[in-house]
Amino acid sequence: MSRQMRSQMPQVQKKKFDRNACLLVFTLIFVGILIFSLLTASDNKKLNRTLNETFDFVKTRIESYEIYNTNDQVKSLVRLMDKTTELSRVIAQEGNFRAEMLDKYAKEQRLTGILVLDKKLKVIEQTTRDGDAMPLWQKLIESDYVRDIVEHPEKTYTTRLRNEGKLYDFVAVARQDASGILIAYEQKEEVNEINGDLTMASLFSNFPFEMNGCVAICDEDKIVSTNKQNLVSSSVEGAKSLYENEFKSGGNGIVHLRSKNGNWYGRQEKIKDYNAYVFFPKHQVYITRNTICVIYALLALLIFLFYRVLRNRTEKRSILQDQKRLRVINALGHAYSSISLVNLKTEEIEVVKSSNYMSHKSFDYLLQKYQLKCENRFIIYTKDLKKESGILFLPVYMTMLI
C-alpha cells in the first residue's frame, strides 16, 4: 500500500479560496440584475398605461372646452341672427331705417352696431355709436361670403372673429325692403375664468396628475394650458431649451428628457389643433423598482454577512480543534521520540516528530549485545536509497524488494 509523506518542517498555510462565498455573491448579483430588469419593464408598462389614461383625460377636457365654446358661440350667433332678421322685417314693414331708429334698436337689443348696404355694397345708413364702421368691416364685406347674399337673398352669413384686437359676432342677411344687405355686429367680452367661463388656460391649472405629472398644451408657438405655473404663457422653444437632449422617443415610444431639475419620461401627441405633452419625473416613474431594489440590496448584504458569521464560527471551531490536537501531540512528544499521524481515508502520513533518521543506536546495540552476525543489514526510512557503514538505508516504497 503506497503512502504519501509530509515533511516535518512547518509551512506557512495559504488562505483557502472560499468558493462558496464567491458562488453566493454571484447568485445574489444575478438575482439583483434580474429583479432590476423585471421591475424596470413593469414600471415602463405602468408608465405607458398611465400616459394613455392621461392623454385620454386631456383629450376629453379639450373636447369639453371646444364643445362649451362652440355651444356658446352658436347660441350667441343664433340670437344675433334672429335680431338681424327681425330688424330686416321691421325695416321692410315700416320703410324706416334712419340712424335714430337704428340707434334705438341697437340699444334695445344690445347690439354694438348696424350697417345698411345697397346692392353695390355701399353704406346708406348706419348707427352712430361707433361712427363710420365701414372701414372696420370693409375687408369682410368684400369677401365672397357676403357678396353672394346680394345675388342669393336666401343665404346668410354668421361668424365670430377678432377684429383690431376685439372679439365680435357678425351677421349679414339680405334686406327685405330692397336689394342689399343688412349687417349687425356685437362685441363680445373676452372669455375669462373670473366670470366663470371655461378657458383653455384654466383647463389644467394646478391639476394634480398621477405621479406628479406635468401636462402642457401648446398651439403653434406658445403653451396655452398647463398644470405647472412656471410654464404658463411660455414659448414652446423656450420650454424645450430647458432640456439638454433632443426630443426623440426610444424603442418603447417613451421620450427621456434631462434638465437641471431632473429627468423626465413621457411623450407627445396631437389632439385637435394642439400639441399635448405629458411627462412624469423619473423618481416617480421608477419608485417601485428603486424601493424594491434598495430593500433587496440590504437583504443581500444581510445574507452575505450571515454567511460570513457562520463561516467564521466554523473556522474558529476548526482552529480550536487543531489547537487541542497540537497540545495532545506536544504532550506525547515528551514520551516518544517519533510521532506520526495517519489519515485512514487519504492514506497520508504526517510526521509530527522524529528522531535523527540517520541514527541507529538501538540497532548497533542489539548486534553488539547478542553478537549477531548479519549478512545484510537494512534500515527502512523515509528518505532516498543509501548505503553507509554496511547498512542499507531503504526507502519505505522499496520494502517489497527485501
Side-chain angles (χ1 to χ4, degrees):
M1 177 176 62
S2 63
R3 293 184 175 90
Q4 298 177 353
M5 306 300 294
R6 289 185 182 175
S7 173
Q8 178 183 346
M9 297 298 294
Q11 297 178 355
V12 178
Q13 293 184 349
K14 295 182 179 180
K15 192 173 182 180
K16 293 183 178 179
F17 176 71
D18 194 344
R19 183 175 299 176
N20 291 333
C22 291
L23 181 61
L24 177 61
V25 171
F26 175 78
T27 302
L28 292 175
I29 293 176
F30 176 78
V31 174
I33 294 175
L34 182 63
I35 291 175
F36 181 87
S37 300
L38 292 177
L39 290 177
T40 299
S42 176
D43 284 343
N44 284 337
K45 184 177 181 180
K46 178 183 177 182
L47 174 60
N48 271 317
R49 182 172 64 252
T50 305
L51 283 170
N52 291 335
E53 293 173 354
T54 305
F55 275 114
D56 288 341
F57 173 77
V58 170
K59 183 179 180 180
T60 301
R61 292 283 290 176
I62 292 177
E63 288 177 346
S64 299
Y65 165 76
E66 291 194 342
I67 290 173
Y68 173 85
N69 279 351
T70 300
N71 289 341
D72 176 71
Q73 178 178 335
V74 169
K75 290 178 181 178
S76 178
L77 290 174
V78 168
R79 287 194 295 267
L80 183 58
M81 172 68 72
D82 291 340
K83 295 175 182 178
T84 308
T85 303
E86 176 64 17
L87 176 60
S88 178
R89 186 191 66 80
V90 170
I91 291 175
Q93 181 178 356
E94 297 181 1
N96 178 16
F97 52 86
R98 295 191 305 273
E100 295 80 2
M101 179 266 192
L102 297 179
D103 288 338
K104 181 180 178 181
Y105 187 85
K107 183 177 180 180
E108 291 175 352
Q109 302 298 327
R110 298 179 180 178
L111 301 179
T112 304
I114 301 172
L115 296 174
V116 181
L117 308 181
D118 59 16
K119 61 181 180 180
K120 294 182 179 180
L121 303 182
K122 301 295 183 181
V123 177
I124 58 177
E125 194 60 82
Q126 61 178 319
T127 52
T128 60
R129 177 180 174 183
D130 286 344
D132 186 6
M134 187 60 181
L136 181 65
W137 303 109
Q138 183 72 43
K139 186 175 180 180
L140 184 58
I141 290 173
E142 293 177 353
S143 67
D144 293 336
Y145 301 109
V146 178
R147 281 181 171 275
D148 287 345
I149 298 176
V150 177
E151 298 179 3
H152 305 280
E154 70 279 4
K155 289 185 176 182
T156 60
Y157 178 73
T158 61
T159 187
R160 173 171 289 182
L161 73 164
R162 188 170 297 277
N163 198 341
E164 294 186 356
K166 297 179 181 180
L167 191 65
Y168 292 95
D169 281 349
F170 178 93
V171 172
V173 300
R175 291 172 55 185
Q176 297 182 19
D177 62 317
S179 178
I181 299 176
L182 179 63
I183 294 175
Y185 57 94
E186 179 182 3
Q187 183 179 343
K188 306 296 295 184
E189 292 184 0
E190 294 290 342
V191 178
N192 194 325
E193 55 186 296
I194 297 178
N195 299 329
D197 297 326
L198 180 62
T199 65
M200 176 59 75
S202 66
L203 278 182
F204 307 104
S205 180
N206 297 320
F207 195 93
F209 285 95
E210 186 178 355
M211 296 193 300
N212 196 26
C214 172
V215 172
I217 310 301
C218 309
D219 56 13
E220 294 182 358
D221 58 356
K222 184 179 179 181
I223 297 177
V224 295
S225 184
T226 180
N227 64 323
K228 300 296 182 181
Q229 291 299 317
N230 60 321
L231 296 178
V232 173
S233 300
S234 300
S235 66
V236 175
E237 292 301 322
K240 286 184 177 181
S241 65
L242 298 175
Y243 303 96
E244 300 173 1
N245 55 326
E246 295 182 3
F247 194 90
K248 292 183 179 179
S249 60
N252 54 4
I254 298 176
V255 177
H256 180 196
L257 294 180
R258 298 177 179 86
S259 70
K260 295 180 180 179
N261 297 326
N263 295 341
W264 296 76
Y265 289 87
R267 67 171 185 260
Q268 176 262 337
E269 287 188 6
K270 187 77 173 178
I271 301 178
K272 299 291 185 178
D273 295 328
Y274 304 97
N275 289 318
Y277 298 85
V278 177
F279 281 86
F280 300 97
K282 180 180 179 179
H283 67 275
Q284 288 289 339
V285 172
Y286 296 111
I287 187 171
T288 302
R289 180 198 68 185
N290 295 341
T291 302
I292 295 178
C293 285
V294 169
I295 294 174
Y296 173 78
L298 295 176
L299 182 61
L301 180 60
L302 290 176
I303 293 174
F304 182 76
L305 292 177
F306 181 71
Y307 167 80
R308 290 304 304 169
V309 170
L310 292 179
R311 180 75 176 180
N312 290 338
R313 287 185 178 181
T314 303
E315 292 177 350
K316 185 176 181 180
R317 193 180 298 114
S318 177
I319 292 173
L320 292 176
Q321 291 177 352
D322 290 341
Q323 291 175 347
K324 181 179 180 181
R325 185 186 308 160
L326 183 59
R327 288 194 298 269
V328 172
I329 292 174
N330 289 335
L332 293 174
H334 295 289
Y336 299 95
S337 61
S338 178
I339 301 175
S340 300
L341 298 179
V342 181
N343 191 328
L344 299 178
K345 293 183 178 180
T346 62
E347 297 183 356
E348 293 182 350
I349 299 176
E350 181 177 357
V351 179
V352 178
K353 179 182 180 183
S354 66
S355 59
N356 188 356
Y357 65 89
M358 295 298 293
S359 177
H360 43 84
K361 293 180 180 180
S362 298
F363 191 40
D364 293 340
Y365 177 76
L366 179 66
L367 293 177
Q368 183 179 358
K369 181 177 181 180
Y370 296 99
Q371 298 296 318
L372 297 176
K373 294 181 179 181
C374 298
E375 182 178 355
N376 296 312
R377 290 182 294 174
F378 301 94
I379 289 180
I380 300 174
Y381 77 143
T382 61
K383 301 298 181 178
D384 296 333
L385 179 65
K386 182 178 182 182
K387 188 172 182 179
E388 185 177 304
S389 301
I391 300 174
L392 182 62
F393 292 87
L394 193 67
V396 174
Y397 62 85
M398 296 182 68
T399 305
M400 63 186 70
L401 301 177
I402 299 176

